[in-house]
Amino acid sequence: LHTAYRRQRQMCIRDSYLRGKNLPGDGWDSPFRYISENGNEYEIISLGADGIDGGVDLDADISSSDL
């Protein structure tokens, strides 16, 4: 796992935002991608219904940076 992701996950667990070892999946029960350049700011990405990069309609990627 990405080092920044592990650090962010540990902080969330410590701060009681997440419980247990399983992170929630997206609307298609696929894992989210968690990206952080500096460990403070992060982006959460769902790869859409098809689970691969790119796509249109239900297969389009969804990013927290688009919100």
Side-chain angles (χ1 to χ4, degrees), residues 13-56:
I13 291 170
R14 181 193 69 219
D15 294 339
S16 300
Y17 296 120
L18 298 173
R19 300 263 183 212
K21 296 182 180 183
N22 295 321
L23 297 174
D26 65 10
W28 296 274
D29 291 325
S30 296
F32 285 105
R33 284 187 180 175
Y34 296 86
I35 300 171
S36 177
E37 296 293 325
N38 60 17
N40 293 320
E41 298 176 16
Y42 57 92
E43 179 179 12
I44 302 171
I45 300 170
S46 166
L47 296 179
D50 62 358
I52 57 175
D53 286 322
V56 295

Side-chain angles (χ1 to χ4, degrees), residues 2 7 47:
H2 190 271
R7 183 175 33 243
L47 296 179

